[in-house]
């Protein structure tokens, strides 16, 4: 049998190209997605880069995407269904994952809904990122480099130039939350920080080390734990794709315990 895998890999390599197949993997067509085909889906429960493909799905259809890292992602019109990552399968119930994030965000529907695709997109990029939501609005006390702050006279020329546009980003908004911009900002070394109202207040932020975070290994892990001890809600995406949320376990049972919620 002719080995056609190398051809398939190349044909599906470019953005917005795909194969349509039927039952028993019967080939139907080789297609592409034009800009006109991509609509704003509103609440989305897939990573941002899958939206064009999800747009093309009909009832009782699903999409299967293989990333450049070799991950397999299965999804339908409702959201993520399953993935093969790091040598094992993960089964998802998209609405349950979204609702968990909403609860973690103190039952703020839009903040949890907007975070969902951002976190999973960063996870599949495998770059690593740290998103911090400051629930007490004391971010100026735990950010080491004040030049990372928006609307700050000491900010870098880049921060000052972008502050007007980036200051409009609101995680609690039901309208477009500028997810592509957030994905690029989150890839910059340091953290992106939101205040308790959901407004972006800093990017490329270095977090002051907290005395209770000394046991944590790795700069991003230590920064996430420090932010937690300063009263913030951190979401850490590791370079291997793991998503970890640190939240106050006083919301649950043991007041002395740090609860880690893991997503993959």
């Amino acid at each position: 049998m002719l080995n056609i895998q190398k051809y398939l890999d190349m044909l599906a390599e470019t953005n917005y190209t795909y194969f349509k197949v039927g039952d028993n993997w019967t080939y139907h067509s080789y297609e592409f997605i034009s800009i006109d085909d991509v609509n704003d889906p509103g609440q989305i429960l897939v990573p941002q880069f899958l939206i064009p493909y999800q747009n093309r799905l009909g009832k009782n259809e699903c999409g299967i995407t293989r990333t450049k890292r070799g991950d397999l992602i299965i999804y339908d019109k409702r959201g993520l269904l399953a993935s093969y990552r790091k040598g094992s399968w993960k089964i998802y119930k998209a609405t349950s994952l979204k609702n968990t994030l909403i609860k973690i965000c103190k039952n703020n529907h839009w903040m949890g809904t907007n975070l969902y695709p951002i976190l999973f997109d960063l996870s599949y990029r495998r770059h690593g990122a740290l998103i911090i939501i400051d629930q007490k609005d004391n971010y100026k006390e735990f950010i080491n480099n004040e030049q990372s702050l928006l609307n700050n006279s000491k900010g870098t020329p880049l921060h000052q130039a972008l502050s007007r546009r980036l200051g409009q980003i609101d995680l609690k908004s039901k309208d477009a939350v500028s997810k592509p911009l957030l994905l690029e900002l989150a890839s910059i070394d340091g953290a992106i920080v939101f205040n308790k109202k959901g407004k972006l207040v800093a990017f490329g932020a270095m977090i002051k080390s907290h005395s209770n975070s000394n046991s944590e290994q790795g700069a991003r892990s230590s920064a996430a734990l420090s932010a937690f001890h300063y009263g913030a809600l951190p979401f850490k995406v590791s370079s291997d794709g793991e998503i970890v949320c640190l939240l106050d376990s006083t919301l649950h049972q043991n007041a002395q315990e740090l609860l880690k919620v893991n997503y993959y």
Side-chain angles (χ1 to χ4, degrees):
M1 179 178 178
L2 178 64
N3 183 0
I4 63 171
Q5 185 62 53
K6 63 179 181 180
Y7 299 112
L8 291 175
D9 289 343
M10 295 179 66
L11 289 173
E13 173 73 14
T14 58
N15 289 334
Y16 307 143
T17 57
Y18 66 96
F19 293 97
K20 190 168 186 177
V21 299
D23 294 339
N24 299 318
W25 299 96
T26 305
Y27 170 77
H28 282 188
S29 59
Y30 180 47
E31 304 286 351
F32 74 96
I33 301 171
S34 70
I35 296 298
D36 294 335
D37 292 328
V38 182
N39 302 312
D40 181 5
Q43 296 186 41
I44 56 173
L45 299 180
V46 295
Q48 185 80 17
F49 70 92
L50 292 179
I51 293 175
Y53 303 104
Q54 190 189 42
N55 275 181
R56 299 301 298 269
L57 295 176
K59 186 178 180 180
N60 299 323
E61 292 184 337
C62 70
I64 304 175
T65 295
R66 182 179 184 272
T67 70
K68 292 182 178 180
R69 297 278 188 171
D71 300 325
L72 288 177
I73 314 172
I74 304 175
Y75 50 96
D76 62 8
K77 293 292 287 186
R78 296 169 296 178
L80 287 174
L81 295 175
S83 68
Y84 182 77
R85 311 181 67 182
K86 300 168 67 175
S88 63
W89 283 97
K90 304 291 182 182
I91 306 300
Y92 299 113
K93 188 174 181 181
T95 52
S96 294
L97 284 173
K98 181 198 71 172
N99 290 337
T100 299
L101 280 171
I102 290 172
K103 289 180 181 179
I104 289 173
C105 295
K106 295 188 174 180
N107 292 317
N108 188 283
H109 175 83
W110 287 107
M111 181 175 285
T113 300
N114 288 325
L115 274 173
Y116 182 106
I118 293 170
L119 290 172
F120 274 90
D121 201 298
L122 290 167
S123 175
Y124 282 106
R125 286 187 178 203
R126 303 286 186 92
H127 184 281
L130 179 59
I131 298 175
I132 295 173
I133 301 172
D134 180 18
Q135 300 171 315
K136 297 183 178 180
D137 268 357
N138 64 345
Y139 55 89
K140 292 182 180 179
E141 297 180 16
F142 63 74
I143 292 180
N144 242 340
N145 53 337
E146 59 180 351
Q147 64 268 27
S148 68
L149 295 169
L150 300 177
N151 300 316
N152 188 335
S153 59
K154 296 183 180 180
T156 69
L158 178 63
H159 283 73
Q160 293 185 38
L162 297 178
S163 61
R164 182 175 180 180
R165 175 64 185 92
L166 298 183
Q168 298 172 359
I169 295 177
D170 183 358
L171 271 186
K172 291 185 177 181
S173 173
K174 65 179 180 179
D175 301 317
V177 77
S178 305
K179 295 184 182 71
L181 295 181
L182 285 177
L183 292 171
E184 300 306 322
L185 291 173
S187 298
I188 296 174
D189 287 342
I192 59 173
V193 183
F194 295 88
N195 62 20
K196 66 180 181 180
K197 294 182 179 180
K199 295 283 189 178
L200 181 68
V201 294
F203 70 90
M206 300 292 112
I207 309 303
K208 291 181 181 178
S209 180
H210 192 281
S211 58
N212 290 336
S213 68
N214 291 336
S215 61
E216 196 71 28
Q217 299 295 317
R220 190 177 294 115
S221 296
S222 179
L225 189 55
S226 291
F228 165 80
H229 285 299
Y230 284 117
L233 177 63
F235 294 88
K236 178 178 71 73
V237 183
S238 302
S239 56
D240 65 356
E242 180 186 46
I243 303 172
V244 175
C245 170
L246 306 182
L247 62 150
D248 191 347
S249 62
T250 56
L251 299 174
H252 300 271
Q253 296 177 350
N254 188 338
Q256 303 301 316
E257 180 186 359
L258 171 64
L259 181 64
K260 293 184 179 183
V261 178
N262 293 269
Y263 299 89
Y264 292 88

